Amino acid sequence: MNRVALHQSTVHPMSPVDLVEIARRAGLDAIGLRVAATAEAHEWWSHGIGSPMLPALVDALLESRVTVLDIGRVELGPELRSVDFAHPYVRVLELGTRLGAQFVTARAGTGDPAELFPLLAELAGRYRLRPLLTVVPGTPIDSVERAIELVGGTSGGIVLDVDPRRDPAELEESVVELGDRLGYVRILASALEDLPEATPGLLATLPPHIPIAIGADEPGHLGSDQVARATALRRTVDAMLRHPRAGAAV
């Protein structure tokens, strides 16, 4: 079964522990965390694995059986050329492995991504994390094609952003072409809520090991009624995962 995760961006400025509770009550399998590169991440995670948030979050995860899909984010900058525990990327990797994350996300920074992403992939492997590139318009990684080029020859992959109105056949073709370079699929909560109804079978042919993450382009998208809205988002994704023929009479 495909894991469905709720990214922290959707419930900002709520704490990671609150995010776990919302995910549990909404029937979501996992969460995505940001522990570097934002002000709220510094507030909670400035002391890395020594942060008071860590034991509280571990307890919440164990009690709820919610897991951590991904942790981020790492900016691809020249600091990756040396292992220095003062740099935020080490905090991301250390917290990722402590929390049992599957992926660590990265985006273009101040350095050459062609040089720096392989360095991150090698470092992440030591922490049993798989690095994924995110596509961000206006940066050196501004297209899926560019991201695929950069992850070639490494253990990494990409985050595939999906418009829920996309044609299912086109998405299926993209997923097949990506193969094992696909880490997970991300859909914006705003786009899901704007749909008059779920796109039948959009995600039905997604391999069962590929997770789906619900994110936000504007932090705090869910605002109030987070549990109710997260539950509705989960139901919409579930409908997209259901093949149109699944309800047909045999």
Side-chain angles (χ1 to χ4, degrees):
M1 295 292 292
N2 305 83
R3 280 198 294 167
V4 181
L6 186 68
H7 273 174
Q8 189 171 354
S9 58
T10 60
V11 301
H12 174 79
M14 300 185 77
S15 75
V17 171
D18 291 331
L19 173 63
V20 172
E21 179 62 12
I22 291 168
R24 182 192 68 80
R25 293 175 62 191
L28 289 148
D29 310 294
I31 59 170
L33 292 172
R34 187 174 294 178
V35 300
T38 62
E40 72 272 13
H42 183 76
E43 173 189 351
W44 292 316
W45 303 109
S46 59
H47 297 290
I49 58 175
S51 301
M53 177 61 70
L54 181 59
L57 181 57
V58 169
D59 285 346
L61 291 167
L62 292 175
E63 290 169 6
S64 65
R65 301 187 70 181
V66 170
T67 59
V68 178
L69 174 67
D70 66 320
I71 195 161
R73 70 178 184 253
V74 174
E75 304 278 350
L76 297 178
E79 63 274 9
L80 284 165
R81 297 191 184 105
S82 62
V83 178
D84 185 340
F85 288 85
H87 288 312
Y89 78 84
V90 177
R91 180 199 319 163
V92 176
L93 296 174
E94 286 192 327
L95 287 168
T97 195
R98 291 294 183 98
L99 292 168
Q102 183 177 357
F103 303 112
V104 55
T105 55
R107 59 176 288 172
T110 57
D112 177 9
E115 173 202 0
L116 297 171
F117 185 75
L119 294 179
L120 174 61
E122 194 277 329
L123 287 169
R126 301 180 194 177
Y127 289 86
R128 299 183 181 179
L129 295 167
R130 186 183 183 200
L132 301 180
L133 276 179
T134 56
V135 174
V136 181
T139 74
I141 309 172
D142 60 359
S143 68
V144 171
E145 291 74 21
R146 177 58 174 155
I148 292 172
E149 178 185 344
L150 290 169
V151 303
T154 75
S155 61
I158 73 166
V159 175
L160 180 64
D161 289 302
V162 171
D163 184 336
R165 296 164 297 183
R166 187 172 180 179
D167 179 72
E170 290 181 359
L171 178 59
E172 180 181 4
E173 183 178 348
S174 296
V175 169
V176 171
E177 290 176 352
L178 283 170
D180 59 9
R181 292 168 296 187
L182 175 57
Y184 67 79
V185 164
R186 179 172 58 193
I187 305 179
L188 294 179
S190 57
L192 288 171
E193 290 188 325
D194 285 344
L195 287 177
E197 59 183 23
T199 304
L202 177 65
L203 304 173
T205 57
L206 198 65
H209 66 279
I210 300 296
I212 299 103
I214 301 169
D217 48 1
E218 292 293 333
H221 173 79
L222 292 186
S224 58
D225 301 322
Q226 293 94 344
V227 173
R229 293 175 72 182
T231 301
L233 290 170
R234 172 63 200 246
R235 288 173 180 160
T236 301
V237 172
D238 283 345
M240 290 178 168
L241 284 165
R242 190 178 307 117
H243 199 282
R245 298 168 70 181
V250 178

